[in-house]
Amino acid sequence: MCGIMGCVGKPDAREIILNGLARQEYRGYDSAGIALRCPDGVRNIKIVGRVSELAKLIEERAAECDGAASGIGHTRWATHGGVTVTNAHPHESSDGMITLVHNGIIENAREIRADLEAKGITFVTETDTESPCQLLANIYDGDALAAMSALCNSLTGAFALVIMFRDRPGEIWCARKGSPLVVATADGASYCASDPTALLEYTHDLFFMEEGEIALLSVDGCRFFSFDGERAGKEPIRLNWDSVMADKGQFEHFMRKEIEEQPDVLRLTIDSYTAVTSVDMEKSLKLPDGLMKRIRRVQLVACGTSHYATLAAKDIIESLDDSLDIRVEVASEYRYRNIPGGGDTLAVFVSQSGETADTLAAARLARAKGSHCVAITNVRGSTIDREVEHTLLSLAGPEIGVAATKTFTAQIALLALLALHLTKERGVLSARDEARLIGGMRLLPAQMQSLLEREPEIKALAEKYSGSKGYFFIGRRECVPLTMEGALKLKEIAYLPSEAYAAGEMKHGPIAMLDEKLAVVALVPEGDLREKTLSNVEECRARNAPIILLVTEGDAEAREFASDVVFIPRTERELFSFVGVIPLQLFAYHTAKTLGRDIDMPRNLAKSVTVE
Ligand code: F6R
């Protein structure tokens, strides 16, 4: 949940590290710090606040930092200990030998602390991170690899550690267990970061550290070892992302840019996984022959927005094949329940980052039960990509805004195509349905574009309702996952109470909350459930709630039911999510903007949730 950046071998290490921290600030942003190895010793500068404030402070103290060709930096998302300068990373051991940054949680930090305090070592922070820092200093006797090994083998919990030893200039040591870390070498320098996007300016050939791996970075390159100190060989993975993809460009926020990118992301996904009117996934997903026919159970497992993408996928799969037992589970629950698995189970784990701790744990459990596992992730080389046998890559490009947008649509697109592939292989997909859905998908980018062009309308609505005391999002069947996503977006970036309900459930309790200050956003596309949903809308209107209706273009009658109406292009029923989500994303974005929220870095959140 924190961002790490390190560099060795560059005279402008200071700028490189600050730049890398700024790129990863979405991972955690309550405090920041950087330790530079200057000719007269390590200079450690930390602040409570953002990387821009750290950069200002470092600028003021530039003279002290001259000549630093290596250093390590960190942006923090506090887990143990308050948000203070002392608790910010990097941490230093009492004897000054070790300077260290950490992402993750050290579970045996208290025991280590007690042992070391008993030996007379004084701790100065409230963090779990100070324990490995002081412990390493206590173990180290001149053999860095042996000390790293001993340290890693005595820690429990999750960690990505990046370390400088005072007496080893020109070296940075890294270790990984449970939290991501990627390293690289280019032009006589070596780098490390939590997130690959921070390194793309320097190279596209990246070494993703494995579980239980130690790395030594120097001007001579990167060397890798196991936690037992054995030398390990390793090949880089080429990441074909462009570093400008991780820039805001003309947009005020990453989130807004990423909303805008959705038609292109969808076009690319469809082109990559279909032929003209048929799904073409065989090249990308090499499952054993005949497997799809033997599958009886499908499990779709994820967290947060990725979970809502799986709910949308469930509707698509079951609309095509009613012989499958389909389960959708949040990963944090799946991992602690006795859920069936085995050779007749296809378990699909969806994670934008590929690093979400709960999703990884759930995938490990399913693999242990012998289920056939597929990962859907946006990050090639991520932990889930490397651990799960089969990966389908979503082609959204880097997503920097903390609130997921384009990766949500990319995930549903891939899951929809996987649904077609699965049902086709099982012999239950009719050629007509295949052509209908693929034809329908091909229309989506232009339809999404037309909605993006209606941004001023949605902005006006967001402003009009931004004084509401809360929001309800309601809809039925294919709309239910979207109600959840719409409500989540408002919660996370506007901090407003918002609830999602299957429209038919409102009268079983939630309707009691309604009055003129609670806005109801109702998703009512044309189709068999239109009338029933409108009846539920009527029930809300009768309790004086203002109603914002999302209906299909041409549904003029809908105006009678609502205070405001947003018209949505007509799609195939199963594909409504792709268009329905755009106004919901824009609505949340403009509500948050009206309220002056920090849209790309909402409070209390972090992009990649690598702790339980
Ligand atoms: C919401 C959001 C989160 C993530 C969730 C899972 O906008 O971004 O709810 O969807 O933390 O993350 P991944 O997909 O990386 O596993």
Side-chain angles (χ1 to χ4, degrees), residues 567-604:
F567 290 102
I568 310 276
R570 177 170 290 106
T571 63
E572 295 301 325
R573 181 191 83 63
E574 299 89 333
L575 305 180
F576 175 73
S577 299
F578 293 96
V579 287
V581 76
I582 302 262
L584 300 183
Q585 292 168 340
L586 288 173
F587 186 74
Y589 174 81
H590 284 290
T591 305
K593 206 169 152 192
T594 308
L595 297 174
R597 308 295 197 225
D598 191 345
I599 293 179
D600 281 335
M601 288 183 256
R603 70 185 184 199
N604 305 338

mmCIF file of all heavy atoms in Angstrom, residues 567-604:
data_model
loop_
_atom_site.group_PDB
_atom_site.id
_atom_site.type_symbol
_atom_site.label_atom_id
_atom_site.label_comp_id
_atom_site.label_asym_id
_atom_site.label_seq_id
_atom_site.Cartn_x
_atom_site.Cartn_y
_atom_site.Cartn_z
ATOM 1 N N PHE A 567 -30.297 9.895 -21.092
ATOM 2 C CA PHE A 567 -30.592 8.891 -22.116
ATOM 3 C C PHE A 567 -29.314 8.141 -22.490
ATOM 4 O O PHE A 567 -28.266 8.729 -22.705
ATOM 5 C CB PHE A 567 -31.214 9.563 -23.342
ATOM 6 C CG PHE A 567 -32.615 10.061 -23.064
ATOM 7 C CD1 PHE A 567 -32.855 11.405 -22.813
ATOM 8 C CD2 PHE A 567 -33.675 9.164 -23.014
ATOM 9 C CE1 PHE A 567 -34.135 11.857 -22.522
ATOM 10 C CE2 PHE A 567 -34.963 9.601 -22.723
ATOM 11 C CZ PHE A 567 -35.194 10.956 -22.477
ATOM 12 N N ILE A 568 -29.466 6.824 -22.587
ATOM 13 C CA ILE A 568 -28.327 5.923 -22.828
ATOM 14 C C ILE A 568 -28.554 5.221 -24.165
ATOM 15 O O ILE A 568 -29.675 4.775 -24.435
ATOM 16 C CB ILE A 568 -28.295 4.810 -21.746
ATOM 17 C CG1 ILE A 568 -28.386 5.399 -20.347
ATOM 18 C CG2 ILE A 568 -27.103 3.912 -21.892
ATOM 19 C CD1 ILE A 568 -27.110 5.850 -19.773
ATOM 20 N N PRO A 569 -27.501 5.075 -24.981
ATOM 21 C CA PRO A 569 -27.696 4.372 -26.253
ATOM 22 C C PRO A 569 -28.218 2.944 -26.046
ATOM 23 O O PRO A 569 -27.915 2.293 -25.038
ATOM 24 C CB PRO A 569 -26.294 4.330 -26.869
ATOM 25 C CG PRO A 569 -25.532 5.403 -26.165
ATOM 26 C CD PRO A 569 -26.135 5.545 -24.805
ATOM 27 N N ARG A 570 -28.957 2.471 -27.031
ATOM 28 C CA ARG A 570 -29.543 1.120 -26.970
ATOM 29 C C ARG A 570 -28.437 0.086 -27.212
ATOM 30 O O ARG A 570 -27.683 0.204 -28.163
ATOM 31 C CB ARG A 570 -30.609 1.013 -28.064
ATOM 32 C CG ARG A 570 -31.264 -0.331 -28.205
ATOM 33 C CD ARG A 570 -32.472 -0.274 -29.136
ATOM 34 N NE ARG A 570 -33.584 0.469 -28.547
ATOM 35 C CZ ARG A 570 -33.968 1.706 -28.911
ATOM 36 N NH1 ARG A 570 -33.334 2.347 -29.872
ATOM 37 N NH2 ARG A 570 -34.987 2.295 -28.330
ATOM 38 N N THR A 571 -28.337 -0.930 -26.339
ATOM 39 C CA THR A 571 -27.333 -1.993 -26.535
ATOM 40 C C THR A 571 -28.036 -3.344 -26.443
ATOM 41 O O THR A 571 -29.202 -3.417 -26.047
ATOM 42 C CB THR A 571 -26.271 -1.983 -25.408
ATOM 43 O OG1 THR A 571 -26.941 -2.262 -24.169
ATOM 44 C CG2 THR A 571 -25.538 -0.670 -25.321
ATOM 45 N N GLU A 572 -27.294 -4.398 -26.739
ATOM 46 C CA GLU A 572 -27.783 -5.738 -26.395
ATOM 47 C C GLU A 572 -27.971 -5.771 -24.876
ATOM 48 O O GLU A 572 -27.171 -5.176 -24.135
ATOM 49 C CB GLU A 572 -26.763 -6.807 -26.800
ATOM 50 C CG GLU A 572 -26.540 -6.924 -28.293
ATOM 51 C CD GLU A 572 -27.815 -7.263 -29.055
ATOM 52 O OE1 GLU A 572 -28.647 -8.020 -28.516
ATOM 53 O OE2 GLU A 572 -27.974 -6.762 -30.185
ATOM 54 N N ARG A 573 -28.989 -6.463 -24.405
ATOM 55 C CA ARG A 573 -29.294 -6.446 -22.981
ATOM 56 C C ARG A 573 -28.059 -6.736 -22.117
ATOM 57 O O ARG A 573 -27.763 -6.029 -21.162
ATOM 58 C CB ARG A 573 -30.379 -7.497 -22.664
ATOM 59 C CG ARG A 573 -30.749 -7.505 -21.201
ATOM 60 C CD ARG A 573 -31.588 -8.672 -20.789
ATOM 61 N NE ARG A 573 -30.888 -9.907 -20.487
ATOM 62 C CZ ARG A 573 -30.009 -10.088 -19.512
ATOM 63 N NH1 ARG A 573 -29.644 -9.080 -18.744
ATOM 64 N NH2 ARG A 573 -29.459 -11.258 -19.311
ATOM 65 N N GLU A 574 -27.297 -7.767 -22.488
ATOM 66 C CA GLU A 574 -26.170 -8.208 -21.653
ATOM 67 C C GLU A 574 -25.036 -7.180 -21.624
ATOM 68 O O GLU A 574 -24.109 -7.290 -20.824
ATOM 69 C CB GLU A 574 -25.594 -9.537 -22.177
ATOM 70 C CG GLU A 574 -26.555 -10.709 -22.182
ATOM 71 C CD GLU A 574 -27.354 -10.818 -23.487
ATOM 72 O OE1 GLU A 574 -27.572 -9.783 -24.166
ATOM 73 O OE2 GLU A 574 -27.768 -11.952 -23.821
ATOM 74 N N LEU A 575 -25.080 -6.209 -22.540
ATOM 75 C CA LEU A 575 -23.945 -5.285 -22.663
ATOM 76 C C LEU A 575 -24.227 -3.914 -22.062
ATOM 77 O O LEU A 575 -23.466 -2.964 -22.249
ATOM 78 C CB LEU A 575 -23.565 -5.130 -24.150
ATOM 79 C CG LEU A 575 -23.268 -6.443 -24.888
ATOM 80 C CD1 LEU A 575 -22.895 -6.173 -26.339
ATOM 81 C CD2 LEU A 575 -22.135 -7.216 -24.195
ATOM 82 N N PHE A 576 -25.310 -3.800 -21.322
ATOM 83 C CA PHE A 576 -25.710 -2.499 -20.802
ATOM 84 C C PHE A 576 -24.623 -1.864 -19.912
ATOM 85 O O PHE A 576 -24.438 -0.645 -19.896
ATOM 86 C CB PHE A 576 -27.026 -2.633 -20.017
ATOM 87 C CG PHE A 576 -27.435 -1.351 -19.361
ATOM 88 C CD1 PHE A 576 -27.933 -0.301 -20.119
ATOM 89 C CD2 PHE A 576 -27.289 -1.174 -17.990
ATOM 90 C CE1 PHE A 576 -28.287 0.906 -19.512
ATOM 91 C CE2 PHE A 576 -27.638 0.027 -17.383
ATOM 92 C CZ PHE A 576 -28.139 1.061 -18.149
ATOM 93 N N SER A 577 -23.885 -2.705 -19.165
ATOM 94 C CA SER A 577 -22.885 -2.165 -18.230
ATOM 95 C C SER A 577 -21.920 -1.200 -18.906
ATOM 96 O O SER A 577 -21.500 -0.203 -18.311
ATOM 97 C CB SER A 577 -22.032 -3.283 -17.645
ATOM 98 O OG SER A 577 -22.819 -4.170 -16.950
ATOM 99 N N PHE A 578 -21.537 -1.530 -20.134
ATOM 100 C CA PHE A 578 -20.492 -0.741 -20.791
ATOM 101 C C PHE A 578 -20.930 0.714 -21.003
ATOM 102 O O PHE A 578 -20.132 1.631 -20.886
ATOM 103 C CB PHE A 578 -20.137 -1.361 -22.157
ATOM 104 C CG PHE A 578 -19.475 -2.693 -22.016
ATOM 105 C CD1 PHE A 578 -20.207 -3.873 -22.103
ATOM 106 C CD2 PHE A 578 -18.115 -2.780 -21.775
ATOM 107 C CE1 PHE A 578 -19.600 -5.106 -21.962
ATOM 108 C CE2 PHE A 578 -17.491 -3.999 -21.633
ATOM 109 C CZ PHE A 578 -18.239 -5.181 -21.723
ATOM 110 N N VAL A 579 -22.190 0.910 -21.329
ATOM 111 C CA VAL A 579 -22.656 2.286 -21.536
ATOM 112 C C VAL A 579 -23.171 2.873 -20.217
ATOM 113 O O VAL A 579 -22.950 4.044 -19.929
ATOM 114 C CB VAL A 579 -23.735 2.372 -22.638
ATOM 115 C CG1 VAL A 579 -23.126 2.176 -24.007
ATOM 116 C CG2 VAL A 579 -24.858 1.394 -22.395
ATOM 117 N N GLY A 580 -23.849 2.045 -19.423
ATOM 118 C CA GLY A 580 -24.434 2.558 -18.181
ATOM 119 C C GLY A 580 -23.383 3.105 -17.221
ATOM 120 O O GLY A 580 -23.651 4.020 -16.445
ATOM 121 N N VAL A 581 -22.172 2.556 -17.284
ATOM 122 C CA VAL A 581 -21.183 2.977 -16.293
ATOM 123 C C VAL A 581 -20.639 4.380 -16.568
ATOM 124 O O VAL A 581 -20.232 5.086 -15.648
ATOM 125 C CB VAL A 581 -20.025 1.939 -16.214
ATOM 126 C CG1 VAL A 581 -19.065 2.051 -17.400
ATOM 127 C CG2 VAL A 581 -19.273 2.098 -14.917
ATOM 128 N N ILE A 582 -20.666 4.816 -17.811
ATOM 129 C CA ILE A 582 -20.027 6.112 -18.140
ATOM 130 C C ILE A 582 -20.707 7.266 -17.391
ATOM 131 O O ILE A 582 -20.012 8.041 -16.716
ATOM 132 C CB ILE A 582 -20.050 6.366 -19.670
ATOM 133 C CG1 ILE A 582 -19.326 5.229 -20.378
ATOM 134 C CG2 ILE A 582 -19.522 7.751 -20.018
ATOM 135 C CD1 ILE A 582 -17.916 5.470 -20.766
ATOM 136 N N PRO A 583 -22.050 7.423 -17.464
ATOM 137 C CA PRO A 583 -22.641 8.521 -16.697
ATOM 138 C C PRO A 583 -22.405 8.383 -15.193
ATOM 139 O O PRO A 583 -22.268 9.386 -14.497
ATOM 140 C CB PRO A 583 -24.137 8.433 -17.013
ATOM 141 C CG PRO A 583 -24.319 7.356 -17.988
ATOM 142 C CD PRO A 583 -23.022 6.710 -18.290
ATOM 143 N N LEU A 584 -22.340 7.149 -14.702
ATOM 144 C CA LEU A 584 -22.124 6.974 -13.258
ATOM 145 C C LEU A 584 -20.715 7.427 -12.864
ATOM 146 O O LEU A 584 -20.514 8.076 -11.825
ATOM 147 C CB LEU A 584 -22.340 5.514 -12.857
ATOM 148 C CG LEU A 584 -23.736 4.950 -13.148
ATOM 149 C CD1 LEU A 584 -23.841 3.517 -12.638
ATOM 150 C CD2 LEU A 584 -24.826 5.806 -12.514
ATOM 151 N N GLN A 585 -19.739 7.097 -13.703
ATOM 152 C CA GLN A 585 -18.365 7.538 -13.412
ATOM 153 C C GLN A 585 -18.280 9.064 -13.475
ATOM 154 O O GLN A 585 -17.690 9.709 -12.604
ATOM 155 C CB GLN A 585 -17.391 6.932 -14.434
ATOM 156 C CG GLN A 585 -17.230 5.432 -14.326
ATOM 157 C CD GLN A 585 -16.505 4.816 -15.515
ATOM 158 O OE1 GLN A 585 -16.435 5.426 -16.595
ATOM 159 N NE2 GLN A 585 -15.985 3.618 -15.343
ATOM 160 N N LEU A 586 -18.885 9.638 -14.521
ATOM 161 C CA LEU A 586 -18.824 11.100 -14.675
ATOM 162 C C LEU A 586 -19.587 11.794 -13.545
ATOM 163 O O LEU A 586 -19.181 12.852 -13.061
ATOM 164 C CB LEU A 586 -19.402 11.526 -16.033
ATOM 165 C CG LEU A 586 -18.532 11.188 -17.250
ATOM 166 C CD1 LEU A 586 -19.289 11.505 -18.541
ATOM 167 C CD2 LEU A 586 -17.211 11.959 -17.224
ATOM 168 N N PHE A 587 -20.681 11.192 -13.126
ATOM 169 C CA PHE A 587 -21.480 11.769 -12.040
ATOM 170 C C PHE A 587 -20.640 11.831 -10.751
ATOM 171 O O PHE A 587 -20.574 12.854 -10.074
ATOM 172 C CB PHE A 587 -22.743 10.921 -11.838
ATOM 173 C CG PHE A 587 -23.704 11.488 -10.841
ATOM 174 C CD1 PHE A 587 -24.488 12.589 -11.160
ATOM 175 C CD2 PHE A 587 -23.845 10.931 -9.578
ATOM 176 C CE1 PHE A 587 -25.397 13.112 -10.242
ATOM 177 C CE2 PHE A 587 -24.738 11.449 -8.651
ATOM 178 C CZ PHE A 587 -25.525 12.544 -8.990
ATOM 179 N N ALA A 588 -19.983 10.717 -10.443
ATOM 180 C CA ALA A 588 -19.150 10.693 -9.230
ATOM 181 C C ALA A 588 -18.003 11.686 -9.375
ATOM 182 O O ALA A 588 -17.687 12.439 -8.442
ATOM 183 C CB ALA A 588 -18.605 9.281 -9.005
ATOM 184 N N TYR A 589 -17.393 11.700 -10.550
ATOM 185 C CA TYR A 589 -16.247 12.594 -10.777
ATOM 186 C C TYR A 589 -16.656 14.057 -10.544
ATOM 187 O O TYR A 589 -15.997 14.791 -9.804
ATOM 188 C CB TYR A 589 -15.719 12.391 -12.202
ATOM 189 C CG TYR A 589 -14.640 13.364 -12.586
ATOM 190 C CD1 TYR A 589 -13.317 13.160 -12.185
ATOM 191 C CD2 TYR A 589 -14.926 14.509 -13.329
ATOM 192 C CE1 TYR A 589 -12.321 14.064 -12.511
ATOM 193 C CE2 TYR A 589 -13.941 15.417 -13.655
ATOM 194 C CZ TYR A 589 -12.641 15.187 -13.250
ATOM 195 O OH TYR A 589 -11.652 16.097 -13.569
ATOM 196 N N HIS A 590 -17.764 14.466 -11.145
ATOM 197 C CA HIS A 590 -18.147 15.879 -11.036
ATOM 198 C C HIS A 590 -18.718 16.215 -9.662
ATOM 199 O O HIS A 590 -18.574 17.336 -9.199
ATOM 200 C CB HIS A 590 -19.100 16.270 -12.172
ATOM 201 C CG HIS A 590 -18.347 16.436 -13.455
ATOM 202 N ND1 HIS A 590 -17.472 17.486 -13.659
ATOM 203 C CD2 HIS A 590 -18.295 15.670 -14.568
ATOM 204 C CE1 HIS A 590 -16.924 17.359 -14.859
ATOM 205 N NE2 HIS A 590 -17.400 16.274 -15.425
ATOM 206 N N THR A 591 -19.324 15.239 -9.004
ATOM 207 C CA THR A 591 -19.769 15.484 -7.629
ATOM 208 C C THR A 591 -18.535 15.742 -6.759
ATOM 209 O O THR A 591 -18.481 16.714 -5.994
ATOM 210 C CB THR A 591 -20.563 14.276 -7.083
ATOM 211 O OG1 THR A 591 -21.634 13.993 -7.984
ATOM 212 C CG2 THR A 591 -21.124 14.551 -5.702
ATOM 213 N N ALA A 592 -17.539 14.886 -6.908
ATOM 214 C CA ALA A 592 -16.315 15.039 -6.100
ATOM 215 C C ALA A 592 -15.633 16.364 -6.416
ATOM 216 O O ALA A 592 -15.136 17.051 -5.520
ATOM 217 C CB ALA A 592 -15.373 13.873 -6.381
ATOM 218 N N LYS A 593 -15.653 16.727 -7.694
ATOM 219 C CA LYS A 593 -15.003 17.984 -8.095
ATOM 220 C C LYS A 593 -15.760 19.176 -7.491
ATOM 221 O O LYS A 593 -15.152 20.103 -6.962
ATOM 222 C CB LYS A 593 -14.983 18.063 -9.628
ATOM 223 C CG LYS A 593 -13.859 18.913 -10.130
ATOM 224 C CD LYS A 593 -13.678 18.781 -11.609
ATOM 225 C CE LYS A 593 -13.073 20.093 -12.083
ATOM 226 N NZ LYS A 593 -13.093 20.235 -13.503
ATOM 227 N N THR A 594 -17.076 19.119 -7.552
ATOM 228 C CA THR A 594 -17.883 20.205 -6.984
ATOM 229 C C THR A 594 -17.584 20.361 -5.493
ATOM 230 O O THR A 594 -17.544 21.456 -4.961
ATOM 231 C CB THR A 594 -19.389 19.878 -7.165
ATOM 232 O OG1 THR A 594 -19.610 19.579 -8.527
ATOM 233 C CG2 THR A 594 -20.272 21.030 -6.739
ATOM 234 N N LEU A 595 -17.361 19.235 -4.826
ATOM 235 C CA LEU A 595 -17.129 19.286 -3.375
ATOM 236 C C LEU A 595 -15.654 19.519 -3.033
ATOM 237 O O LEU A 595 -15.267 19.470 -1.864
ATOM 238 C CB LEU A 595 -17.610 17.977 -2.735
ATOM 239 C CG LEU A 595 -19.125 17.717 -2.879
ATOM 240 C CD1 LEU A 595 -19.492 16.338 -2.340
ATOM 241 C CD2 LEU A 595 -19.940 18.788 -2.155
ATOM 242 N N GLY A 596 -14.849 19.707 -4.068
ATOM 243 C CA GLY A 596 -13.430 20.012 -3.836
ATOM 244 C C GLY A 596 -12.624 18.843 -3.300
ATOM 245 O O GLY A 596 -11.653 19.018 -2.573
ATOM 246 N N ARG A 597 -13.008 17.625 -3.650
ATOM 247 C CA ARG A 597 -12.280 16.448 -3.143
ATOM 248 C C ARG A 597 -10.986 16.218 -3.937
ATOM 249 O O ARG A 597 -10.861 16.670 -5.071
ATOM 250 C CB ARG A 597 -13.126 15.177 -3.267
ATOM 251 C CG ARG A 597 -14.505 15.283 -2.661
ATOM 252 C CD ARG A 597 -14.466 15.465 -1.164
ATOM 253 N NE ARG A 597 -15.759 15.162 -0.590
ATOM 254 C CZ ARG A 597 -16.381 15.895 0.322
ATOM 255 N NH1 ARG A 597 -15.811 16.995 0.773
ATOM 256 N NH2 ARG A 597 -17.552 15.531 0.795
ATOM 257 N N ASP A 598 -10.113 15.416 -3.314
ATOM 258 C CA ASP A 598 -8.854 15.075 -3.980
ATOM 259 C C ASP A 598 -9.113 13.829 -4.833
ATOM 260 O O ASP A 598 -8.978 12.700 -4.377
ATOM 261 C CB ASP A 598 -7.802 14.797 -2.902
ATOM 262 C CG ASP A 598 -6.418 14.704 -3.490
ATOM 263 O OD1 ASP A 598 -6.308 14.564 -4.720
ATOM 264 O OD2 ASP A 598 -5.450 14.758 -2.721
ATOM 265 N N ILE A 599 -9.488 14.037 -6.079
ATOM 266 C CA ILE A 599 -10.086 12.962 -6.865
ATOM 267 C C ILE A 599 -9.132 11.798 -7.139
ATOM 268 O O ILE A 599 -9.509 10.634 -7.007
ATOM 269 C CB ILE A 599 -10.643 13.540 -8.182
ATOM 270 C CG1 ILE A 599 -11.825 14.458 -7.832
ATOM 271 C CG2 ILE A 599 -11.050 12.440 -9.159
ATOM 272 C CD1 ILE A 599 -12.481 15.134 -8.996
ATOM 273 N N ASP A 600 -7.908 12.100 -7.509
ATOM 274 C CA ASP A 600 -6.998 10.991 -7.853
ATOM 275 C C ASP A 600 -6.421 10.294 -6.627
ATOM 276 O O ASP A 600 -5.953 9.161 -6.730
ATOM 277 C CB ASP A 600 -5.848 11.507 -8.728
ATOM 278 C CG ASP A 600 -6.296 11.683 -10.172
ATOM 279 O OD1 ASP A 600 -7.265 10.998 -10.580
ATOM 280 O OD2 ASP A 600 -5.696 12.499 -10.891
ATOM 281 N N MET A 601 -6.427 11.009 -5.511
ATOM 282 C CA MET A 601 -5.879 10.389 -4.301
ATOM 283 C C MET A 601 -6.841 10.591 -3.147
ATOM 284 O O MET A 601 -6.581 11.361 -2.215
ATOM 285 C CB MET A 601 -4.510 10.985 -3.996
ATOM 286 C CG MET A 601 -3.473 10.510 -4.981
ATOM 287 S SD MET A 601 -1.854 11.135 -4.600
ATOM 288 C CE MET A 601 -1.705 12.400 -5.828
ATOM 289 N N PRO A 602 -7.989 9.931 -3.173
ATOM 290 C CA PRO A 602 -8.968 10.124 -2.113
ATOM 291 C C PRO A 602 -8.416 9.710 -0.748
ATOM 292 O O PRO A 602 -7.557 8.828 -0.668
ATOM 293 C CB PRO A 602 -10.129 9.214 -2.523
ATOM 294 C CG PRO A 602 -9.734 8.534 -3.774
ATOM 295 C CD PRO A 602 -8.380 8.951 -4.190
ATOM 296 N N ARG A 603 -8.965 10.363 0.272
ATOM 297 C CA ARG A 603 -8.440 10.110 1.626
ATOM 298 C C ARG A 603 -8.601 8.631 2.023
ATOM 299 O O ARG A 603 -9.541 7.963 1.581
ATOM 300 C CB ARG A 603 -9.158 11.006 2.642
ATOM 301 C CG ARG A 603 -10.598 10.609 2.854
ATOM 302 C CD ARG A 603 -11.325 11.564 3.766
ATOM 303 N NE ARG A 603 -12.666 11.079 3.999
ATOM 304 C CZ ARG A 603 -13.660 11.828 4.449
ATOM 305 N NH1 ARG A 603 -13.467 13.114 4.687
ATOM 306 N NH2 ARG A 603 -14.843 11.295 4.647
ATOM 307 N N ASN A 604 -7.698 8.181 2.822
ATOM 308 C CA ASN A 604 -7.733 6.833 3.428
ATOM 309 C C ASN A 604 -7.566 5.679 2.445
ATOM 310 O O ASN A 604 -7.613 4.523 2.835
ATOM 311 C CB ASN A 604 -9.044 6.567 4.192
ATOM 312 C CG ASN A 604 -9.327 7.614 5.231
ATOM 313 O OD1 ASN A 604 -8.408 8.280 5.670
ATOM 314 N ND2 ASN A 604 -10.573 7.774 5.621
#
